[in-house]
Amino acid sequence: MSHFALQSTQVVIAGNMIAACVEIKDQLIHAIHPYGQALNCEVKDFGEQVIMPGLVDSHVHINEPGRTEWEGFNTATQAAAAGGITALVDMPLNCIPVTTTKAAFQEKLDSVDDKLWVDCGFWGGVIPDNIDELDGLLSAGVLGVKSFLIDSGIEEFPPVEAKDMRAAMPILAKYDVPYLIHAELDCGHFDDVEITKKYDSFLESRPKSWENNAISLMVDMARESKEAGDNCKVHIVHLSSDEALSTIAQAKSEGLRFTAETCPHYLTIASENIPDGKTLFKCCPPIRENKNREHLWQAITDGRLDFIVSDHSPCTPELKHIDTGDIEKAWGGISALQFGLSLIWTEAKDRGFTLVDLARLMSLETAKFAGLDGIKGAIKVGNHADFCVFDPTIEYTITTEMIKHKHNITPYAGRKVFGQVNHTFVRGFHVYQQDEFINSPIGRPLLKGQL
Ligand SMILES: [Zn+2]
């Protein structure tokens, strides 16, 4: 069905919630009409359910090719569709090979065939010895690149130093793509912290100062790049430390192209409530105290933080060491791709946010960041017909049976949340409806220069 319309009394359009009818033709948004408009095509009426732009999640680890026992494109994009996400951007690790060369990127593209339930872009990686590869990677269509300032946990994705970034940034500026940074800097002093089953011991081993110092370094790098005439875009992934917020604000006020994201786990979980030995809550940087969490919400409110993404980072249950509760040995990463909107809505609605705000924070801004805003991120004539139909009033409890990603583990099992994704449309294709996937995967790779 290439010509039809969706309508509801609540549609997020141009920063407002209005009653409207959205006409779709050939995978694109063709026109926006008043609610109830007579049209010469089928009109699906969603009543009072909210029609939002499909979410764009720019931080997902899919791990294919190479670590498909952890996750893969089929299961990850099904989870995305179930969460109202219509486009995601895959990280350059922990797949094998890591996405640091054009050849490795081609291997990744070869692995997605017939597996994508939503559209999918890709980040490349910068490591100390691949600067010569960046032109090739970027002209092949990655949307930007990522580096670590600390051990990534993956040997073949080592951290960079300032000299490596100095070499990379002019190239990234030439392509006008963002430089994503895992901002923790191991400044020593904490190597002797013994990590026990107590969550607080893990928290103590990854102090805020590691993030604060890394972010200060990145502001210096961005400043240097601006002075050199490149003004490379710098982006801090998964911010956890509230103490770094003022540094980010300073960078923005200086006119540097400096952005930062945070994730549902930092906004919805407080370390005081994490039971000891519960390895499912381990991620890096760590989930911190409730007071820190409140400060992150303030930064979402006033714009010091730009948007919210999942950082879905799954692995096998064995690698999580769930049975032994060994936090030190457990792989760091949170799996919850499909629950992001419900988790955030549950917290956000009581803080005065509306679904218009969440459409901005989880779709419009992430689409802009990844360079996808010409096609995704808003219900607008000419954009892809990507929608999430969301009922904000339904309350449900997250269970492991609901999980669509590869392994049915998540730290959120048992948590009560508000708001349920009832339908997802990708380029006009109805891909998900109340726990069911429809037809076959129709997602496409999203490549820079070919959008
Ligand atoms: Zn990540």
Side-chain angles (χ1 to χ4, degrees):
M1 188 180 12
S2 66
H3 185 202
F4 66 105
L6 308 179
Q7 69 175 3
S8 117
T9 58
Q10 302 196 82
V11 188
V12 177
I13 294 175
N16 292 298
M17 185 80 87
I18 58 172
C21 175
V22 183
E23 186 181 349
I24 294 137
K25 217 175 191 176
D26 300 331
Q27 307 186 27
L28 301 179
I29 297 173
H30 180 69
I32 295 167
H33 305 285
Y35 181 86
Q37 173 98 16
L39 294 174
N40 62 350
C41 63
E42 189 202 339
V43 179
K44 295 174 198 275
D45 192 324
F46 289 107
E48 291 180 350
Q49 294 178 66
V50 177
I51 303 179
M52 302 171 65
L55 305 185
V56 177
D57 188 339
S58 57
H59 193 150
V60 181
H61 296 264
I62 296 183
N63 310 328
E64 186 166 2
R67 280 196 181 84
T68 46
E69 69 279 18
W70 293 19
E71 184 62 281
F73 283 106
N74 187 55
T75 44
T77 58
Q78 282 200 336
I85 297 161
T86 54
L88 52 79
V89 190
D90 171 56
M91 281 291 169
L93 71 169
N94 312 304
C95 44
I96 305 172
V98 291
T99 319
T100 51
T101 65
K102 189 179 172 181
F105 182 42
Q106 191 55 52
E107 262 188 72
K108 182 171 278 190
L109 288 175
D110 290 343
S111 77
V112 307
D113 273 352
D114 301 325
K115 292 176 190 156
L116 300 180
W117 287 84
V118 304
D119 289 344
C120 188
F122 307 87
W123 302 119
V126 177
I127 55 176
D129 69 1
N130 83 327
I131 306 297
D132 293 345
E133 297 278 350
L134 290 185
D135 263 312
L137 258 179
L138 287 158
S139 51
V142 299
L143 301 176
V145 293
K146 180 186 193 184
S147 284
F148 274 67
L149 300 181
I150 195 168
D151 178 15
S152 72
I154 301 287
E155 209 177 300
E156 63 274 26
F157 203 99
V160 293
E161 294 175 13
K163 65 171 166 44
D164 308 312
M165 294 193 274
R166 263 181 208 119
M169 287 169 94
I171 304 169
L172 306 182
K174 188 173 80 184
Y175 289 87
D176 197 28
V177 294
Y179 193 10
L180 290 75
I181 300 292
H182 179 120
E184 286 182 292
L185 206 50
D186 185 346
C187 314
H189 312 304
F190 293 88
D191 299 342
D192 52 353
V193 174
E194 192 198 343
I195 301 172
T196 65
K197 282 190 181 180
K198 291 239 168 263
Y199 180 80
D200 279 350
S201 68
F202 171 62
L203 183 54
E204 203 187 322
S205 76
R206 306 219 39 142
K208 289 182 184 179
S209 60
W210 286 15
E211 281 190 78
N212 305 343
N213 293 340
I215 290 166
S216 295
L217 169 65
M218 289 320 301
V219 174
D220 289 344
M221 297 301 304
R223 206 176 272 141
E224 201 179 299
S225 172
K226 189 180 180 199
E227 280 159 13
D230 293 326
N231 210 4
C232 178
K233 293 178 187 169
V234 173
H235 177 74
I236 304 301
V237 295
H238 52 48
L239 181 88
S240 171
S241 166
D242 61 349
E243 290 174 0
L245 290 167
S246 56
T247 315
I248 293 168
Q250 171 65 29
K252 287 176 186 283
S253 73
E254 281 180 36
L256 303 179
R257 300 168 93 193
F258 204 94
T259 51
E261 67 187 32
T262 192
C263 313
H265 36 283
Y266 303 121
L267 292 167
T268 67
I269 303 171
S271 61
E272 292 93 330
N273 300 329
I274 299 178
D276 293 333
K278 283 286 181 195
T279 55
L280 288 175
F281 291 87
K282 179 181 178 182
C283 58
C284 299
I287 295 163
R288 304 188 190 279
E289 313 78 10
N290 195 48
K291 208 168 129 200
N292 185 85
R293 184 177 80 98
E294 291 298 335
H295 291 157
L296 295 182
W297 272 108
Q298 284 167 17
I300 288 282
T301 309
D302 62 30
R304 282 172 292 168
L305 289 173
D306 295 271
F307 50 79
I308 303 167
V309 291
S310 68
D311 191 9
H312 177 64
S313 184
C315 67
T316 61
E318 294 72 36
L319 282 170
K320 267 295 188 191
H321 293 272
I322 295 169
D323 297 342
T324 60
D326 189 328
I327 302 179
E328 183 162 30
K329 283 203 189 118
W331 175 259
I334 302 281
S335 299
L337 185 55
Q338 88 205 61
F339 302 113
L341 183 57
S342 303
L343 288 163
I344 290 297
W345 175 237
T346 304
E347 286 280 333
K349 67 183 177 55
D350 296 335
R351 297 167 190 270
F353 289 85
T354 65
L355 286 170
V356 173
D357 299 319
L358 298 197
R360 177 175 54 80
L361 291 164
M362 301 176 80
S363 181
L364 182 63
E365 290 299 328
T366 43
K368 267 188 204 164
F369 166 65
L372 301 173
D373 50 324
I375 48 174
K376 308 276 190 193
I379 299 177
K380 191 169 121 182
V381 172
N383 268 14
H384 288 179
D386 287 9
F387 309 99
C388 159
V389 180
F390 187 69
D391 186 332
T393 61
I394 292 180
E395 188 178 10
Y396 72 95
T397 301
I398 293 174
T399 65
T400 53
E401 290 76 34
M402 293 174 182
I403 291 174
K404 308 297 184 199
H405 60 255
K406 183 131 196 164
H407 296 286
N408 63 348
I409 50 174
T410 180
Y412 296 107
R415 183 180 272 241
K416 263 197 182 147
V417 289
F418 277 92
Q420 182 169 282
V421 174
N422 286 337
H423 303 268
T424 305
F425 293 82
V426 178
R427 283 179 284 99
F429 294 99
H430 195 180
V431 297
Y432 173 81
Q433 164 169 253
Q434 280 144 342
D435 212 41
E436 299 289 333
F437 298 99
I438 301 167
N439 295 322
S440 51
I442 51 77
R444 284 183 195 153
L446 299 169
L447 304 181
K448 187 174 169 63
Q450 299 171 44
L451 295 170

